[in-house]
Every structure is written in structure tokens, then in C-alpha cells.
Amino acid sequence: MLDTILLLIIVVMGIAVGFNSIDLLPETVLAQVANVRGLQWVMAGFGAIVGIALGLLLQSLYHRLERSIRQLSPETLLSRAVGLVVGLLLANLMLAPIFLLPIPKDFSFIKPLIAVLTSILFAYSGTTLADSHGPALLRLINPNAVASSLLAEGMLKPARAKVLDTSCIIDGRIEALLNLGVLEGQIIVPQFVLQELQLIADAGNEQKRIRGRRGLDVLNRLQASLGDRIVIHSADYPELTTVDAKLVRLCQEIHGTLVTNDLNLNKVARFQKVDVFNVNELAQALRPIYLPGDTLELKILKEGKEPAQGVGYLEDGTMVVVEEGVDHIGDQLSVVVTSALQTSAGRMIFARLQMPTMA
């Protein structure tokens, strides 16, 4: 009902504007019009059409804004409101000296223009900072909250922002981890990482193009599922030439956690006291542990390095070396684990053929 009333009001306004718009025409043009009243009704009809289109557009924008606001948590709404108010207050404080300046009448439009632009800039900055520092603002408003007390006592640690690098985005497993809620905090994608993904997607090599486009698709799906939680960070460091160095610097400045699959970047970042979340290390840690005596179903795929050895692979890619398995290449067999070895390249399992049980 409210939508219908608002639409009717906008249509009536459009009709009124169209009906009276001919008063803006020069007298010489009106003198050439044979039927002024007819022209007024034609313009009124045109104003009604424009009013209907404008009303439907405003309705659509309003409902979209309403849905976005309903999806926000009360804490986010409150922190953004505080940020907006603080930003507008600062804008007004800065504008007060400007309005006292003597400006010629020909340039009098500068004052309201500066006022509007400054208010928009500070309002946007206030809401953006509120997204990053919302919990701190809420603690100032309500210092007696349970979360505030726990934070003050050091019993509760705020979640650090997670900075994604190119390798983990292209890998794609980060999407499942975020959707499962394994990683908490704000998700930051630096602008220079986005540019690197675009360069890979536009590369001449087909394999690189596929990898780059997959990374961009992953980011689009993350933005659709996470919403405001994922942020494109505009920070850049022109004095640094590599993306890896920029990632480390950004994590140092915001005290964030670097999410990567790159082993070398992992080592460099940890050497510089940056927290690192390595997706490959997580996958390694979640692999099932096989003890001597456990039985596996395995397909022998190829010969091993030593005579009579056969080699197969588990679903997670772990290599299994089977004694006396060379004669069973291509067969699906039951094998018994004899030992396991952790190497720099990954884990390796040694096994032997399971002897058939005697009846």
C-alpha cells in the first residue's frame, strides 16, 4: 500500500511539473503554438510517464537498500551510524572557517558545493572506518558489555583481518574454508593482488589464463556470499617492486594474517614476524593418520624406484610404496601399512600386500 501511495505522489508531481513546464518556454515559442492548453496536457502526459518510470526506479532502489540493511547485524548498523555522525560533525567543524571567507558573488556557488562534497567525503570515511573499527566504537559506547570486559581482561582476542594472496585465491580452497567459517575476521584482497590476477587472466599462455579467470570467479563468488566482510584494500607501495613484499608490508601495518599457499612467501613472512595461515599446511594436518597394521584399498599405478616395488596414490595424493607390488600394476588390492615417512615434499606410506586368509 505504501509503495502505491508513493508511486501516485511521484506521478502527480510529474504531471504537475509537465503541465506547468510550458511557462518556461520563451514568449516567441508560445506565440507559435496554436493550442496552448493542448500542449499543457501533452506535457502533463509526458510528465506522468517520467513519474511512473522514476517512481518504479526509486521503489526498486528502496527495496534493495532495505534488504541490505536487514542483512546487517545491529552492531554493524550502530557502528556505522556512529561513524556517519562523527564524520558529519568533523565536516561541519572544517566548513565553519571556509564560510567566513569573503568570496565574490560570482563565485558564491563554491561554498555550497564545497559543503556538499566535504559532507559526502567525511560521511563515507566515517562509515568506512566504522567497518574496520566498529568493535572499538561499540566498546566506547557500552564499556560494560561482556565482550568489552573480556577484551579488557585479555581473555578474549579480537579476530585479525585475513589478507589473501594470489596463490590461495587461484587455488580455490579458501572459498570452502570461508563458507565453513574456519577463518574469522575481515577478509582483505589488496588492489595489487587483484591487478596481478587480471594480468594472469589476460596472459598469452592458456594455462595462465584459465588459472587467472578461476581466481576472479572465486573472488566474485566470495563477494556474493560474504558481502561487506570482504574488502578490496587500495593500499599500494610504489617503492616495493614485488607483490610478495607488498603483502608482507600490508600485513605488518594492519597487524593482519597472511593467507597463502606459497611456501617461499610463507617462510619470508614468518621471518618478518607476520602471522601466516597456509592452506597446504592445513590440508596436510587434516590428512588421515595411518598406523602400521592399518589396511588400505589401493590401485597400483606404476613401478617404484627399487626393484619389485609398486606405487599407488590415496585420494589426497599421498604416495604409497608397496613391496612386491610391481607384478600387480593396474590391480586394485588390499595392502597393509608397514611404516610412514614425512618428507619435505609430503608424506609417504610404505605397505605390503595383504596375505589372503586361510580358510
Side-chain angles (χ1 to χ4, degrees), residues 125 226 311:
S125 300
L226 300 179
V311 176

Coordinates of all heavy atoms in Angstrom, one line a residue, residues 125 226 311:
S125 N 33.9 8.4 4.8 CA 35.1 8.0 5.5 C 34.7 7.5 6.9 O 35.2 6.5 7.4 CB 36.0 9.2 5.7 OG 36.5 9.6 4.4
L226 N 29.9 -13.4 1.0 CA 30.4 -12.8 2.3 C 29.9 -11.3 2.4 O 29.9 -10.8 3.5 CB 31.9 -12.8 2.3 CG 32.5 -14.2 2.4 CD1 34.0 -14.1 2.4 CD2 32.0 -15.0 3.5
V311 N 53.8 -48.6 -6.9 CA 53.4 -47.3 -6.4 C 52.0 -47.0 -6.7 O 51.5 -47.2 -7.8 CB 54.3 -46.1 -6.9 CG1 53.8 -44.8 -6.4 CG2 55.8 -46.4 -6.5

